Coordinates of all heavy atoms in Angstrom, one line a residue:
N9 N 8.8 -32.1 -26.1 CA 8.7 -33.5 -26.2 C 7.3 -34.0 -26.1 O 6.3 -33.2 -25.7 CB 9.5 -34.3 -25.3 CG 9.2 -33.9 -23.7 OD1 8.1 -33.7 -23.4 ND2 10.3 -33.8 -22.9
Q10 N 7.0 -35.3 -26.2 CA 5.6 -35.8 -26.2 C 5.0 -35.7 -24.9 O 3.8 -35.3 -24.8 CB 5.7 -37.3 -26.7 CG 6.1 -37.5 -28.2 CD 5.9 -38.9 -28.5 OE1 6.1 -39.9 -27.7 NE2 5.8 -39.2 -29.8
Y11 N 5.8 -35.8 -23.9 CA 5.2 -35.7 -22.5 C 4.7 -34.3 -22.1 O 3.7 -34.1 -21.7 CB 6.3 -36.2 -21.4 CG 5.9 -35.8 -20.1 CD1 4.9 -36.9 -19.4 CD2 6.4 -34.9 -19.2 CE1 4.5 -36.6 -18.1 CE2 6.0 -34.7 -17.9 CZ 5.0 -35.5 -17.3 OH 4.6 -35.4 -16.1
Q12 N 5.6 -33.4 -22.6 CA 5.3 -31.9 -22.3 C 4.0 -31.6 -23.2 O 3.2 -30.8 -22.7 CB 6.4 -31.0 -22.7 CG 7.6 -31.1 -21.7 CD 8.8 -30.4 -22.2 OE1 9.0 -30.3 -23.4 NE2 9.5 -29.9 -21.2
Y13 N 4.0 -32.1 -24.3 CA 2.8 -31.9 -25.2 C 1.5 -32.4 -24.6 O 0.5 -31.8 -24.7 CB 3.1 -32.3 -26.6 CG 1.9 -32.1 -27.6 CD1 1.6 -30.9 -28.1 CD2 1.0 -33.1 -27.9 CE1 0.6 -30.7 -29.0 CE2 -0.1 -32.9 -28.7 CZ -0.3 -31.6 -29.3 OH -1.3 -31.5 -30.1
A14 N 1.7 -33.5 -24.0 CA 0.4 -34.2 -23.4 C 0.1 -33.4 -22.3 O -1.2 -33.2 -22.1 CB 0.9 -35.7 -23.0
I15 N 0.8 -33.0 -21.4 CA 0.4 -32.1 -20.3 C -0.2 -30.9 -20.7 O -1.1 -30.4 -20.2 CB 1.8 -31.8 -19.4 CG1 2.3 -33.2 -18.9 CG2 1.3 -30.9 -18.2 CD1 1.4 -33.9 -17.9
F16 N 0.4 -30.2 -21.9 CA -0.1 -29.0 -22.3 C -1.4 -29.2 -22.9 O -2.4 -28.4 -22.5 CB 0.9 -28.4 -23.4 CG 0.3 -27.3 -24.2 CD1 0.3 -26.0 -23.6 CD2 -0.3 -27.4 -25.4 CE1 -0.1 -24.9 -24.3 CE2 -0.8 -26.4 -26.2 CZ -0.6 -25.1 -25.5
K17 N -1.7 -30.2 -23.5 CA -3.0 -30.6 -24.2 C -4.0 -30.8 -23.0 O -5.2 -30.4 -23.0 CB -3.0 -31.6 -25.1 CG -4.2 -31.8 -26.0 CD -3.9 -32.7 -27.2 CE -5.1 -32.8 -28.1 NZ -4.9 -33.7 -29.3
F18 N -3.5 -31.5 -21.9 CA -4.4 -31.8 -20.8 C -4.9 -30.6 -20.2 O -6.0 -30.5 -19.8 CB -3.5 -32.8 -19.8 CG -4.4 -33.0 -18.6 CD1 -5.1 -34.1 -18.5 CD2 -4.1 -32.3 -17.5 CE1 -5.9 -34.4 -17.4 CE2 -4.9 -32.6 -16.4 CZ -5.7 -33.7 -16.3
K19 N -4.0 -29.6 -20.0 CA -4.3 -28.4 -19.3 C -5.4 -27.5 -20.1 O -6.2 -26.9 -19.6 CB -3.2 -27.6 -19.0 CG -2.2 -28.1 -18.1 CD -1.0 -27.2 -17.7 CE -0.1 -27.7 -16.7 NZ 1.1 -26.9 -16.5
I20 N -5.3 -27.7 -21.5 CA -6.3 -27.0 -22.3 C -7.7 -27.8 -22.4 O -8.7 -27.1 -22.2 CB -5.6 -26.7 -23.7 CG1 -4.4 -25.8 -23.6 CG2 -6.6 -26.3 -24.6 CD1 -3.7 -25.7 -24.9
V21 N -7.6 -29.1 -22.6 CA -8.7 -29.8 -23.0 C -9.6 -30.1 -21.7 O -10.9 -29.8 -21.7 CB -8.5 -31.1 -23.7 CG1 -9.6 -31.9 -24.0 CG2 -7.7 -30.8 -25.0
L22 N -9.0 -30.4 -20.7 CA -9.7 -30.9 -19.5 C -10.6 -29.8 -18.9 O -11.8 -30.1 -18.6 CB -8.8 -31.4 -18.4 CG -9.3 -32.0 -17.1 CD1 -10.3 -33.2 -17.6 CD2 -8.4 -32.6 -16.2
P23 N -10.2 -28.5 -18.7 CA -11.1 -27.6 -18.2 C -12.2 -27.4 -19.1 O -13.4 -27.2 -18.6 CB -10.2 -26.3 -18.2 CG -8.8 -26.8 -18.0 CD -8.7 -28.0 -18.8

Side-chain angles (χ1 to χ4, degrees):
N9 58 37
Q10 290 183 339
Y11 175 75
Q12 291 173 325
Y13 178 76
I15 296 298
F16 173 76
K17 196 168 184 179
F18 176 84
K19 291 180 178 179
I20 294 177
V21 175
L22 185 58

